[in-house]
Amino acid sequence: MMANKIVYFFIVIFLSIGSVKLEAYILLNESDKISTPLPQPYEGKIYSRNDLNLFIDNSLTSGKQPIIIFGANWCPDCRIFSGTMEIPRIKSFIMQHFDILYVDVKRYEINMGLMEEYGIPSQEGIPRVLVFDHEKNLLNSSTTAEWRTARERSSQDIFNFFQDLALKRQ
């Protein structure tokens, strides 16, 4: 009898914690769809480590969290990821909390060494999403490749990624 009460207590606590987190999310609806044609945010610019540091510094000065996305316009996962970020509800949220820099890798022939500067092997597979904290530390070094299969994920999954980052920052 006592064991049943303990199990019930933990179930109630678990469900309460889960519901609090779910309530914190902004949920997308049927009108929140990716527009076509998909964006092509990669401009072929060659960046230096100093360019990236300046971007990070400027983002932090403006009170936003810096995110650098390595990718290319030929990559469907990169375009779907950036297209999802352009959904108005998501874009508004991102603009409020984050600064995004798109770094073009072309056909893995430019800017690849910059990933290694942050301890990320410059191997194929994009997009690579790098998230920095207020002390310029890379927060997600082990999961930068998470979105290489963005086309297999829902818009809500991608939005939740950004919402999670914003909640952790508070």
Side-chain angles (χ1 to χ4, degrees), residues 2-3 17 31 38 40 53-55 65-66 83-84 88 91 94 97-98 108-109 119 131 138 159:
M2 182 65 150
I17 291 170
S31 67
L38 291 171
Q40 295 187 9
N53 285 335
L54 183 61
F55 165 77
Q65 187 166 18
T84 301
K91 184 175 185 171
I94 288 173
H97 298 281
F98 306 99
Y108 303 110
E109 59 203 19
V131 181
L138 181 60
F159 191 21

Side-chain angles (χ1 to χ4, degrees), residues 68-69 144 162:
I68 299 173
I69 304 174
T144 62
F162 289 102

Side-chain angles (χ1 to χ4, degrees), residues 63-170:
K64 294 184 179 180
Q65 187 166 18
I67 297 178
I68 299 173
I69 304 174
F70 289 86
N73 289 332
W74 58 263
C75 170
D77 293 299
C78 295
R79 293 187 65 198
I80 288 170
F81 191 80
S82 62
T84 301
M85 292 169 58
E86 291 295 319
I87 294 171
R89 186 184 310 256
I90 298 173
K91 184 175 185 171
S92 173
F93 184 87
I94 288 173
M95 289 176 65
Q96 182 180 359
H97 298 281
F98 306 99
D99 270 341
I100 308 291
L101 176 66
Y102 290 100
V103 177
D104 200 343
V105 299
K106 295 265 183 203
R107 295 272 177 194
Y108 303 110
E109 59 203 19
I110 62 171
N111 294 316
M112 292 296 289
L114 291 174
M115 282 190 265
E116 291 176 355
E117 297 275 339
Y118 296 104
I120 307 300
S122 64
Q123 56 192 322
E124 295 184 3
I126 47 177
R128 292 297 183 107
V129 180
L130 283 65
V131 181
F132 297 88
D133 68 11
H134 66 280
E135 302 207 1
K136 304 181 193 177
N137 298 313
L138 181 60
L139 293 175
N140 64 326
S141 60
S142 64
T143 61
T144 62
E146 174 182 4
W147 299 106
R148 291 186 304 176
T149 56
R151 68 184 119 178
E152 297 172 4
R153 308 284 286 276
S154 72
S155 295
Q156 188 69 56
D157 288 340
I158 294 170
F159 191 21
N160 289 351
F161 169 74
F162 289 102
Q163 293 185 81
D164 284 340
L165 290 173
L167 286 172
K168 287 176 187 174
R169 201 163 176 231
Q170 294 177 352

Side-chain angles (χ1 to χ4, degrees), residues 47-58:
Y47 289 95
S48 69
R49 174 72 185 247
N50 287 339
D51 294 329
L52 300 188
N53 285 335
L54 183 61
F55 165 77
I56 292 168
D57 289 340
N58 289 340

